[in-house]
Amino acid sequence: MSSNKLAFPKDFIWGAATASYQIEGAWDEDGKGESIWDRFSHTPGKVENGDTGDVACDHYRRWRDDIALVKELGLRAYRFSVAWPRILPDGRGEVNQTGLDFYSQLVDALLEVGIEPFITLYHWDLPQILQDEGGWPVRGIVDAFTEYADIVSRALGDRVQKWITLNEPWVSAFVGYSMGHHAPGHTNQDEAIAASHHLLLSHGRAVPVIRANCPEADVGITLNLSPQEPASPSVADRKASTWVDGYINRFYLDPLAGRGYPQDMVQSFGNPMEFVQPGDLDAISVPIDFLGINYYSRGIARSDEVSEEENEPRTVFRGDEVTEMDWEVYPKGLFNILGRLHFDYSFPDLYITENGAAFVDEVGPDGQVDDPARLSYIKRHLAMIHKAIQIGVPVLGYFVWSLLDNFEWAYGYSRRFGIVYVEFQSQQRTLKSSAKWYRKVMLENELEATA
Ligand code: JJW
């Protein structure tokens, strides 16, 4: 066993990420409007254990302590999202200044301690009132989002330079409108496809608005990307794999890269996509300054079709190391996807805007939380990023998901992704051993890799 040091570029941006609905709580305070996640989580049967984001990590009240924590950890950057219904309780129109002030103070406090804010404008908490008009499947949402992006970038653009329009539009569109596991809980694929287009168009329209309000801005979008492999070399399994890749990855990457919608997917969906209007594809492919990547795992696709070669191997080796989400730990997938984005798609600068893992944590008798599995997960993914940088992929930064244990959507509080443990009754925060280790990595700007 040899040990070597993997040094990162000297200006590499080390961070951690959160999202408004997952940490803030205060769901109806200070003039905030209802979001689709308030409505969804308040609907019995939608979220595990009946959990809601009503209180979450109580970050809306404890934000000063949480920034002190971020400072103590030695993070260079902090990625958080703005809750649209705090800013515009009616979705558009009247601005709730108290909501804007909350984020303005947060930004000031971060800058004061030398931490760079990365703002995500939309991380799934759509104002319910806009959903009542039809939500993302209806084109009117695009103007509402552009107005919202204008208001926030006007207010914070003098101090914030890193802007992410959307987080994981595939999850917003398909998990929310087609699978129904997320808000608003619909199960209509045509709605999801229309939602997807209006999400991308909203992104494209917001980019120049943010740039106009903040000439120094770097603007990007964050996608959940997951490389797909066929379960066997059979034609049927390879077709299945191409399909899932088209569904999760290409349906977003292609239009953003100026390639238009992938025709195999348009055909397979059987949706004429008549909501795509002249000029939309140009708007969507507006040049971005960076692409954000949320990476958790790969997928292994198999066809339901019974193949002719019945004795062929039906499942490629799937590592038996999985997280509490039952997602395979597969660091190499991150290397693969980074190479593809740079060498095939020629995307500009890349940030890993999320990577991390849920594991069951136990508080020891000494009050410590030892989480070697999470530490190892993060370490091996960082090693893959280092490897990608070595071959010329411009990865500028990395954000652990998440700073804090928080509300993991349909799983409620049952899945802990934090590098900081949260005891939700007392709201006490405890650095897990992964956080202490990460602090050292950031400080030294290098990773001790064992090979
Ligand atoms: C749901 C697929 C069947 C989050 C999903 C697919 C079908 C049960 C982590 N990323 O909390 C959720 N996360 O808010 C953003 N990444 O449905 C941030 N991907 O499900 C984190 C993927 C995800 C998902 C969740």
Side-chain angles (χ1 to χ4, degrees), residues 18-19 22 79 123-124 167-168 170-171 174-175 179 181-182 224 248 294-296 325 327 354 401-402 406-411 417:
T18 63
Q22 295 181 274
R79 173 180 176 234
H123 200 125
W124 309 354
N167 181 71
E168 302 184 357
W170 177 81
V171 175
F174 285 95
V175 184
M179 298 176 200
H181 299 298
H182 282 185
N224 52 290
I248 295 175
N294 292 355
Y295 177 79
Y296 291 93
M325 304 295 283
W327 295 343
E354 286 181 27
W401 183 268
S402 179
N406 61 46
F407 178 83
E408 181 49 40
W409 308 113
Y411 298 94
F417 274 94

Side-chain angles (χ1 to χ4, degrees), residues 280-300:
D280 284 4
L281 290 170
D282 286 338
I284 290 170
S285 59
V286 61
I288 49 177
D289 298 297
F290 65 87
L291 181 71
I293 298 131
N294 292 355
Y295 177 79
Y296 291 93
S297 190
R298 70 166 162 179
I300 295 171

Side-chain angles (χ1 to χ4, degrees), residues 292-313:
I293 298 131
N294 292 355
Y295 177 79
Y296 291 93
S297 190
R298 70 166 162 179
I300 295 171
R302 53 183 287 176
S303 167
D304 293 333
E305 292 167 38
V306 179
S307 86
E308 284 163 20
E309 314 107 273
E310 259 318 308
N311 59 349
E312 73 195 1

